[in-house]
Amino acid sequence: MSQVRVLILRAPGTNCDMETVFAFEQAGAMATRVHINQLVRGDECLSDYQILVVPGGFTYGDDISAGRVLANEVRMGLGEDVPRFIEEGGLVLGICNGFQVLVKAGILSVNSGSIPLTLTDNDSGRFECRWVHLAANSASPCVFTKGIDRMSLPVAHAEGKVVFDGAVPEANIALRYADEQGNCGAGYPYNPNGSMADIAGLCDDTGRVFALMPHPERFVRGTQHPQWTRRSIGEHGDGLRIFQNAVRWAEAL
Amino acid sequence: MHRVEVRLKNHLPDARGAGLVKDIRDLGIETVSDVRVIDIYWLDAELSSDKLDLICRGLLADPVIQDYRSDSAIPADADSSSNRRVVEVTYNPGVMDPVEGTVMKAVRDLGIDNVRAVKTAKRYLIEGDLDNGQLDSICGKLLVNPIVEHIVGPDTIPFSEHPQYHFRLNHYNIIDTDGSGLAEVRRDFSFSEPELKAIIDYFREQGRNPTDVELETLFQTWSEHCVHKTFKGKVSFSGAGIDNLLESSLAKIGQVVQWEGLWVKIDNLLKNTIAKATAELNKPWCLSVFMDNAGVIEFDEKWALCFKVETHNHPSAVEPYGGAATGIGGVVRDPLGTGLGSKPILNTDVFCFAPPDLPHEKLPKGVLHPRRIFKGVRAGVADYGNRLGIPTLNGAVLFDERYLANPLVYCGTLGLMPSELSRRGQQQAGDLVVVVGGRTGRDGIHGVTFASEQLTEESSTLSFTSVQIGNPIVEKKVIDVLLQARDKGLYRRITDCGGGGLSSAVGEMAADTGVRVDLEKVPLKYAGLTYSEIWVSESQERMLIAVPPDCIDGIMRLFDSENVEAAVIGEFTDDHRLRLFYHGELVGDLSMEFLHEGIPQMNLEAVWQPSQHTEPDFASPDDLGRDLMKVLATWNVCSKEWVIRQYDHEVQGGSVLKPLVGKDCDGPGDAAIIRPVLDSDRSVIVSNGINPKYGEIDPYWMAASAIDEALRQIIAVGGDLDRVALLDNFCWGDTRRPEMLGALVRATQACHDMALVYGTPFISGKDSLNNEFEYEGNVITIPHTLLISAIGVMADANRAVSMDLKQVGDLIYMVGETWNELGGSAYLATHDLVGNSVPKVDAPRSKVLMDNLSTATVKGLVRACHDCSDGGLGVAVAEMAFAGGLGANVKLEQVPLGESIDRDDFVLFSESNSRFVVEVAPENREEFENTMGDTAWAVIGEVTGSGVLEVYGLDDRKIVNESLTDLKEAWQSPIRW
């Protein structure tokens, strides 16, 4: 079986690409950083990979709104490449800014796109960096969160509030903000941005396109946890599971 | 031209507006119930309604949450209402909002090519009953900074033609005996008289008059900011302590002469103090010190660390956001421009402001309120640093009224590079001069001279060209692409364009070869710049590299592949001259020797006499709980979580010990630890020490204390002194005054002495002198402020220790001696006193103590450790207790004393150096005590689960009995904005 290939998409302002490569390497994949221009100009081909990742950062400075300009570029520059990639079974992961890009490019949609959905300014009106507790939804088809019950991960964003019209089906809500016991509805700062329905991560109807505001790549080793000096955390961080799930799924392709 | 307005749908809360409502309330205006912010875009184009709609719908507005309208769809009386004020604010001409460029790019991505320019504005709808005075106040204090912004009406046409520049070569007539041009030189440049004389002599020898660009070049290159002429001057020092030469190190750093009393002559202060200690220590792991843009030390066999801290004080005083943002942008380019380039991996920021609760009516004209400066600086540093993807893991915020008009903004960056690339490169004749990154505009012209001069009431109007907004994404692109070019070996040398712009960068790089530059080849933001403006502009996000001719195609292709602009602007030569051309005309021609060696050395006088301050005459209070709360709530001691949370301290995934630690991740960590190579456990500890309060008593002990503090923090988190490097950053008043320079000599002397004993070399440094403000005939001088930044290499991150108490029943140790050292303390400050008993450092003993404590940590005997600094033992143990969420009992009678102290408050709040509070498990008691040996230590209490901090006084009476909730609230509430 050949090694799973992961494309870590880079654009001006991407800044979590290196640690995302590291996380996928820890999970056994081969991850390559590819600039958006390389895809647009045809120097690299999406179909050579099994997993596409839009990592965290401030692409184009979050100008206009976070993720908007890269989303536009992906939509206009890559055209049908991404939908075809998903159609053919590829996995797509968006982290933080990647979540914003995937939603605004229409790549991550809910209920066949019938629910208008976006991400906007945190209720606090501020960029905030803090660790949050997350509860995964076992009823979700999400490939990435399979077998995960609860996690701790850091968030670091200014525009992470998920808002939508209508109702997002339960199955699409792969990850929710929660309190220490895993209960949702705990309010700020447990829900750090005021996201509707405590949504921290969403998947599309297939479960193969997943995006989240927290940063799993920042917690793949135990010593990345803020309390590893207080209590035993273990060698691996909670975030590693997300990458392992993706790689295992792709290996089985 | 088209105008587009994008607004949040009416039913959605406006987070930006809500922040403004809060700020308006802080101004004492209670009647504003709501603020909504509308984004305005002007597009300079003739677009069909379809295309305009595509831009609005597909790009500028998010249909889920926003509405938009454009052009004629905007009613003439838009947004007017009886109870509403409308203010529209845009950037001044020449100030570039990065969003404008992004919109241009995104519009092109949509397949629309005919938009010539974009301009942005913000429209504020302010709901509530306001009179005109209140509205002016809101505009002036919150919405508009005239340095960069102005208010516009709805009919404004924001696009203006930039006038073309018509070339004319300008000379100053200074060589004729009548010297008719001298007055003009004195008007345009503030050269000292000896400097002016050297210039006249040089040009007389050349037999011609200088051009404007030649004088500009000399002015920039010889500025304090670029050449540190005070630190390199000849200093004659006299004053208190000098008759005690045998005991002090003065005889080692200068030559003793007798002339109307004893004097010490120091020829080059930097070389004889700070750099001298480094030379004497001669550590093999110091790879590059005091020669490049940053200092470099070895990290492991493969990697090197590169560290630099800069200040960006004056620009931050007049435009906090842009000034601070470009401060961080500037310091990041230092490690990038060191050796052959390092990757920025950590930022550290230290700010000094006036207290945020200063009444508005006490504000001098032309000075921004400290709260606004604080908020603006924080936002500028965070927006720029976060966008670059560099974690901000360390810092401090200090307050003193004398920082009112001269806030200090220290920004530091740590870089990582392959060891073999850590040496400064060397270009060859024929190599091409390439400028990479941002375009050149009229930004920051005369920024370095602005930085070196005194601020006055008029500074805010005179300095408008000195401030720019900064574009972090351009810088990020430059970093990304230059590191690739470095690894491919496509350039031979690199430096940053910072203070003095191309003038300094090219001039310095070519010092040992020579260069010719064609100024018209520099890419410009807009037309109209003179050749001289191009040369000295301080536009941000620019780097300079020397590229061998056979690499030029490859490197330009690489730049192009990631949309980074670059241009060949000249060629290095071997004629040891700086020759500047504009469209083929020679406009400047200076010998490198004169440019770099021609500046006359300054002769300076320095004196130092200690001043006497009032000693406390109040009795030690019976209940010190209230005093402890008061100290915890002081601006200097209180929690800075509000700032820290708005920095990304996790990006790059390397953080091992974060700035906020403990049970609820909100306790004040001592030093930060990062793991720069993700699959290794080798780490870097970053800390800082700063205490300007001590400088009022004695700058020597202030500097010694700052060094001790920075080192204590490294020890507290589990590091050791084996490989620790220091940076010095002096912010001072006008050192042309002998007593001001005397204080500087005292501080540098301490740097020399301490570095030698601790074995911790200085690897780089910086100074910002002249931090004074003239106001109604009075001069406000900042306190002498020395920031010591330290990095330590830690062999194994797994042995890191945090400061929060962890286990009920553990022993609490006090390590180090407590002396009657309340001078300059946080406690005396709550009584508006300074005192005289400044904390001293017994470095030889402290070194042994720190070494022993490191050994104990490596052995795993230390469960928690916190250094005692501001607020002494009282604050340290309170912070440990509430960070751990447990409780503690402490007995002052057990505290090891260096001398007899009979007051509880003095023991509790003494700020003696070299002290730690340590938590040790009972089963490790014997081994810990054996390891600490005959250094000063004692068990002073234990960890409880009571949720209370109990302190028993010297007579065993309970003097503090406060719940952790109350203590934490006192500490957190001041800056909960």
Side-chain angles (χ1 to χ4, degrees):
Chain A
M1 186 178 57
S2 65
Q3 207 178 9
V4 170
R5 296 194 65 192
V6 184
L7 187 154
I8 312 283
L9 185 68
R10 220 156 57 73
T14 300
N15 63 31
C16 302
D17 44 332
M18 299 293 233
E19 53 270 42
T20 307
V21 167
F22 179 73
F24 270 106
E25 285 172 354
Q26 295 298 295
M30 191 174 92
T32 312
R33 297 155 63 235
V34 175
H35 197 279
I36 177 83
N37 286 348
Q38 292 174 278
L39 285 178
V40 173
R41 294 171 188 179
D43 302 336
E44 282 277 346
C45 191
L46 191 51
S47 56
D48 292 338
Y49 297 84
Q50 290 88 53
I51 304 174
L52 164 67
V53 184
V54 188
F58 283 85
T59 50
Y60 298 101
D62 276 3
D63 295 346
I64 305 176
S65 81
R68 190 79 180 165
V69 177
L70 181 57
N72 188 51
E73 189 172 16
V74 166
R75 218 158 35 87
M76 303 305 293
L78 304 186
E80 284 306 301
D81 290 0
V82 180
R84 196 179 311 119
F85 177 78
I86 299 166
E87 185 90 353
E88 288 168 0
L91 293 182
V92 180
L93 173 63
I95 302 170
C96 194
N97 191 233
F99 190 175
Q100 295 155 340
V101 171
L102 293 182
V103 165
K104 293 174 187 185
I107 295 167
L108 173 54
S109 65
V110 165
N111 209 8
S112 319
S114 64
I115 313 286
L117 183 144
T118 193
L119 290 114
T120 185
D121 295 338
N122 297 349
D123 277 352
S124 68
R126 291 199 287 264
F127 177 97
E128 284 191 47
C129 179
R130 62 168 72 244
W131 281 68
V132 293
H133 304 280
L134 299 160
N137 173 10
S138 56
S140 166
C142 182
V143 167
F144 298 82
T145 54
K146 199 132 286 181
I148 297 174
D149 178 22
R150 279 152 57 181
M151 308 166 77
S152 281
L153 293 177
V155 293
H157 60 251
E159 298 180 40
K161 179 184 179 178
V162 176
V163 292
F164 50 83
D165 288 337
V168 172
E170 184 63 19
N172 294 99
I173 305 177
L175 213 52
R176 281 192 164 94
Y177 299 111
D179 65 12
E180 293 90 342
Q181 283 76 42
N183 302 312
C184 295
Y188 180 85
Y190 294 103
N191 175 340
N193 48 39
S195 236
M196 288 167 72
D198 288 321
I199 293 173
L202 277 176
C203 64
D204 73 347
D205 304 340
T206 69
R208 285 184 282 109
V209 179
F210 170 60
L212 71 171
M213 286 313 295
H215 286 271
E217 81 284 8
R218 296 183 185 181
F219 188 32
V220 294
R221 294 184 63 169
T223 46
Q224 290 170 319
H225 192 275
Q227 282 165 346
W228 73 270
T229 56
R230 283 183 69 77
R231 56 189 169 89
S232 172
I233 298 289
E235 192 192 340
H236 299 301
D238 296 351
L240 186 60
R241 294 282 297 279
I242 288 187
F243 303 99
Q244 287 170 334
N245 277 339
V247 173
R248 259 180 228 143
W249 200 91
E251 275 168 353
L253 275 180
Chain B
M1 188 188 78
H2 303 278
R3 176 187 166 94
V4 178
E5 295 186 0
V6 179
R7 64 177 72 207
L8 272 174
K9 289 186 174 171
N10 280 334
H11 66 280
L12 294 173
D14 184 331
R16 283 186 293 180
L20 277 170
V21 172
K22 254 203 253 172
D23 289 340
I24 291 170
R25 224 160 268 157
D26 286 343
L27 296 178
I29 299 171
E30 305 283 348
T31 50
V32 172
S33 57
D34 190 33
V35 176
R36 314 268 311 168
V37 187
I38 298 171
D39 291 305
I40 309 288
Y41 302 90
W42 286 286
L43 309 177
D44 185 11
E46 295 79 40
L47 297 167
S48 67
S49 61
D50 284 358
K51 283 200 167 157
L52 184 59
D53 206 47
L54 177 64
I55 292 171
C56 294
R57 198 165 22 84
L59 188 67
L60 300 179
D62 184 332
V64 182
I65 51 167
Q66 291 170 325
D67 294 322
Y68 66 87
R69 53 192 188 185
S70 58
D71 297 346
S72 56
I74 305 171
D77 59 345
D79 306 315
S80 69
S81 145
S82 61
N83 206 31
R84 174 190 287 163
R85 299 294 195 128
V86 182
V87 180
E88 197 167 309
V89 180
T90 190
Y91 282 119
N92 296 341
V95 179
M96 308 291 246
D97 179 0
V99 176
E100 295 162 5
T102 308
V103 174
M104 292 282 287
K105 179 240 164 2
V107 168
R108 278 196 303 272
D109 285 344
L110 285 172
I112 300 169
D113 288 328
N114 56 338
V115 175
R116 293 178 293 271
V118 174
K119 186 91 184 152
T120 60
K122 298 254 180 298
R123 187 173 172 86
Y124 300 95
L125 311 186
I126 307 166
E127 307 286 340
D129 195 16
L130 289 174
D131 61 35
N132 287 343
Q134 288 172 317
L135 184 66
D136 284 351
S137 179
I138 292 170
C139 291
K141 295 190 172 97
L142 295 174
L143 303 183
V144 189
N145 183 350
I147 302 297
V148 289
E149 296 158 321
H150 60 283
I151 293 178
V152 288
D155 302 324
T156 304
I157 295 171
F159 301 103
S160 50
E161 287 287 308
H162 288 279
Q164 287 300 317
Y165 166 62
H166 299 288
F167 174 73
R168 197 174 69 96
L169 187 59
N170 298 312
H171 288 93
Y172 286 85
N173 177 16
I174 60 169
I175 62 166
D176 295 350
T177 39
D178 72 335
S180 58
L182 267 179
E184 287 160 32
V185 175
R186 288 201 178 94
R187 180 196 64 202
D188 296 346
F189 307 95
S190 48
F191 288 113
S192 71
E193 286 307 310
E195 287 166 359
L196 201 51
K197 184 174 179 303
I199 292 168
I200 294 169
D201 290 349
Y202 173 81
F203 282 100
R204 283 205 177 129
E205 224 170 87
Q206 307 292 310
R208 66 175 177 88
N209 276 308
T211 65
D212 52 355
V213 76
E214 288 172 330
L215 289 182
E216 287 280 8
T217 306
L218 289 164
F219 190 49
Q220 302 295 331
T221 310
W222 292 3
S223 71
E224 185 66 55
H225 184 91
C226 292
V227 78
H228 308 287
K229 48 196 176 190
T230 300
F231 266 87
K232 292 178 181 167
K234 279 189 181 145
V235 178
S236 305
F237 176 79
S238 185
I242 196 162
D243 45 350
N244 212 358
L245 281 165
L246 284 179
E247 280 176 35
S248 87
S249 57
L250 274 173
K252 282 195 227 160
I253 64 173
Q255 209 183 4
V256 182
V257 293
Q258 182 96 32
W259 182 76
E260 292 182 7
L262 267 184
W263 290 85
V264 176
K265 298 265 187 195
I266 308 161
D267 184 357
N268 192 325
L269 193 54
L270 179 66
K271 209 170 170 181
N272 282 293
T273 57
I274 293 166
K276 187 174 186 189
T278 303
E280 276 180 37
L281 288 168
N282 194 21
K283 297 284 185 189
W285 44 265
C286 283
L287 301 180
S288 171
V289 294
F290 294 110
M291 59 178 301
D292 208 336
N293 287 314
V296 188
I297 67 167
E298 188 182 83
F299 177 61
D300 59 17
E301 303 80 45
K302 196 174 162 209
W303 298 98
L305 295 167
C306 166
F307 196 28
K308 182 61 175 272
V309 175
E310 286 259 11
T311 55
H312 221 217
N313 303 335
H314 289 38
S316 305
V318 295
E319 212 298 278
Y321 181 86
T326 51
I328 198 78
V331 77
V332 165
R333 291 193 301 275
D334 276 323
L336 183 64
T338 296
L340 286 178
S342 70
K343 181 192 170 193
I345 57 168
L346 175 144
N347 284 341
T348 165
D349 303 296
V350 174
F351 309 141
C352 303
F353 303 123
D357 54 357
L358 183 95
H360 275 276
E361 54 275 14
K362 275 188 152 183
L363 209 57
K365 195 172 144 267
V367 173
L368 299 177
H369 192 271
R371 187 184 280 254
R372 184 177 188 185
I373 295 183
F374 186 176
K375 287 189 167 187
V377 165
R378 186 219 58 74
V381 169
D383 283 358
Y384 209 103
N386 290 347
R387 276 168 175 71
L388 289 182
I390 304 169
T392 300
L393 271 152
N394 177 266
V397 191
L398 288 88
F399 300 91
D400 186 292
E401 282 184 7
R402 290 162 292 174
Y403 295 121
L404 180 61
N406 285 283
L408 304 184
V409 176
Y410 293 97
C411 299
T413 299
L414 180 70
L416 183 76
M417 69 171 109
S419 304
E420 74 266 19
L421 304 180
S422 63
R423 285 289 180 150
R424 193 167 67 190
Q426 181 57 57
Q427 76 279 8
Q428 296 174 5
D431 283 358
L432 301 169
V433 185
V434 178
V435 62
V436 186
R439 290 187 169 202
T440 298
R442 215 170 264 122
D443 313 306
I445 289 191
H446 287 170
V448 296
T449 45
F450 178 52
S452 309
E453 280 167 15
Q454 196 183 61
L455 288 177
T456 66
E457 287 165 63
E458 288 88 46
S459 295
S460 60
T461 48
L462 290 176
S463 55
F464 65 96
T465 58
S466 291
V467 179
Q468 41 196 322
I469 298 301
N471 189 337
I473 299 307
V474 170
E475 183 141 315
K476 179 73 170 95
K477 289 199 297 184
V478 169
I479 297 169
D480 289 351
V481 83
L482 278 176
L483 293 177
Q484 294 174 54
R486 175 198 73 184
D487 292 342
K488 291 181 173 161
L490 294 177
Y491 57 82
R492 256 198 274 263
R493 188 163 173 185
I494 184 167
T495 194
D496 66 304
C497 265
L502 287 171
S503 149
S504 297
V506 179
E508 277 170 36
M509 199 191 258
D512 46 10
T513 54
V515 71
R516 69 158 282 158
V517 177
D518 298 305
L519 291 166
E520 77 282 0
K521 292 185 177 160
V522 177
L524 301 181
K525 290 183 180 179
Y526 36 78
L529 272 72
T530 69
Y531 58 88
S532 188
E533 286 175 323
I534 294 169
W535 184 235
V536 299
S537 156
E538 295 186 5
S539 285
Q540 295 289 307
E541 292 101 23
R542 299 178 303 166
M543 295 294 291
L544 191 79
I545 49 175
V547 180
D550 59 339
C551 293
I552 193 70
D553 290 344
I555 202 167
M556 291 307 241
R557 259 201 311 278
L558 178 61
F559 292 148
D560 179 61
S561 76
E562 302 206 359
N563 310 105
V564 171
E565 275 198 85
V568 176
I569 61 165
E571 189 182 313
F572 291 99
T573 60
D574 54 8
D575 62 2
H576 299 277
R577 295 198 77 80
L578 171 74
R579 305 214 302 151
L580 304 175
F581 293 84
Y582 186 75
H583 288 293
E585 296 254 9
L586 185 66
V587 296
D589 185 2
L590 292 168
S591 84
M592 285 295 178
E593 193 193 354
F594 179 65
L595 180 60
H596 294 291
E597 311 294 335
I599 179 171
Q601 197 179 14
M602 286 172 96
N603 280 300
L604 298 154
E605 194 176 308
V607 296
W608 188 75
Q609 290 296 342
S611 49
Q612 280 301 313
H613 302 272
T614 313
E615 287 290 348
D617 61 353
F618 58 90
S620 182
D622 288 339
D623 176 9
L624 282 169
R626 293 193 160 281
D627 291 81
L628 178 55
M629 304 258 244
K630 222 195 238 176
V631 173
L632 284 168
T634 54
W635 291 118
N636 283 327
V637 175
C638 75
S639 171
K640 310 299 184 304
E641 182 176 349
W642 176 81
V643 181
I644 299 166
R645 284 249 175 269
Q646 298 186 66
Y647 296 139
D648 192 340
H649 40 265
E650 303 283 356
V651 65
Q652 298 192 16
S655 87
V656 172
L657 206 57
K658 304 162 202 297
L660 296 167
V661 299
K663 177 176 163 283
D664 297 320
C665 297
D666 56 7
D670 283 319
I673 306 180
I674 62 157
R675 183 164 35 207
V677 182
L678 290 179
D679 58 359
S680 161
D681 280 326
R682 205 169 171 83
S683 296
V684 196
I685 309 174
V686 180
S687 71
N688 67 73
I690 181 168
N691 204 322
K693 281 275 181 206
Y694 302 159
E696 282 173 56
I697 305 170
D698 188 341
Y700 183 93
W701 294 115
M702 171 186 81
S705 298
I707 292 169
D708 192 79
E709 185 183 10
L711 299 180
R712 277 192 323 258
Q713 292 177 7
I714 286 185
I715 300 303
V717 298
D720 56 48
L721 296 179
D722 289 352
R723 193 174 291 188
V724 173
L726 305 176
L727 302 182
D728 62 84
N729 262 271
F730 292 88
C731 287
W732 231 253
D734 184 352
T735 46
R736 285 169 299 191
R737 296 211 307 273
E739 65 278 14
M740 205 52 76
L741 188 61
L744 189 67
V745 172
R746 288 286 290 167
T748 53
Q749 188 192 348
C751 290
H752 164 266
D753 298 355
M754 295 298 133
L756 280 181
V757 179
Y758 283 117
T760 52
F762 284 91
I763 56 169
S764 185
K766 196 84 189 177
D767 55 89
S768 162
L769 309 178
N770 241 330
N771 287 283
E772 303 198 345
F773 179 75
E774 209 183 305
Y775 172 60
E776 290 179 354
N778 298 317
V779 173
I780 310 176
T781 304
I782 62 158
H784 314 308
T785 311
L786 168 62
L787 170 66
I788 296 290
S789 311
I791 47 171
V793 176
M794 188 178 195
D796 181 5
N798 293 299
R799 69 175 208 221
V801 174
S802 59
M803 51 71 74
D804 44 313
L805 294 180
K806 295 179 180 74
Q807 181 66 49
V808 175
D810 277 1
L811 304 170
I812 297 175
Y813 280 80
M814 182 82 196
V815 171
E817 278 170 356
T818 299
W819 296 71
N820 187 350
E821 292 180 324
L822 276 292
S825 66
Y827 176 63
L828 287 195
T830 63
H831 291 270
D832 295 320
L833 292 169
V834 175
N836 300 291
S837 52
V838 67
K840 299 192 167 68
V841 180
D842 184 341
R845 290 181 65 200
S846 172
K847 167 100 167 54
V848 174
L849 184 147
M850 289 190 190
D851 287 345
N852 290 356
L853 188 52
S854 295
T855 308
T857 315
V858 175
K859 287 181 180 170
L861 305 173
V862 173
R863 190 115 71 183
C865 183
H866 196 20
D867 86 302
C868 288
S869 54
D870 293 29
L873 166 62
V875 164
V877 79
E879 288 175 343
M880 293 175 83
F882 61 63
L886 297 171
N889 283 350
V890 168
K891 288 177 186 297
L892 294 189
E893 59 172 352
Q894 305 294 332
V895 171
L897 301 180
E899 62 190 321
S900 163
I901 309 177
D902 56 6
R903 292 176 61 134
D904 290 333
D905 56 348
F906 283 14
V907 177
L908 192 62
F909 295 120
S910 162
E911 295 185 6
S912 290
N913 286 299
S914 319
R915 295 183 307 156
F916 302 84
V917 181
V918 182
E919 177 187 2
V920 176
E923 63 268 26
N924 291 325
R925 177 174 194 153
E926 202 184 331
E927 205 185 346
F928 177 75
E929 292 177 1
N930 288 339
T931 309
M932 290 311 297
D934 58 3
T935 55
W937 52 261
V939 176
I940 59 163
E942 63 169 0
V943 181
T944 68
S946 64
V948 174
L949 173 65
E950 293 174 55
V951 180
Y952 295 84
L954 294 167
D955 58 359
D956 216 22
R957 207 170 39 82
K958 199 187 274 190
I959 52 166
V960 174
N961 186 26
E962 300 291 341
S963 81
L964 299 187
T965 317
D966 290 347
L967 290 168
K968 193 168 171 180
E969 178 62 20
W971 180 71
Q972 287 186 325
S973 58
I975 309 183
R976 190 184 277 144
W977 290 346

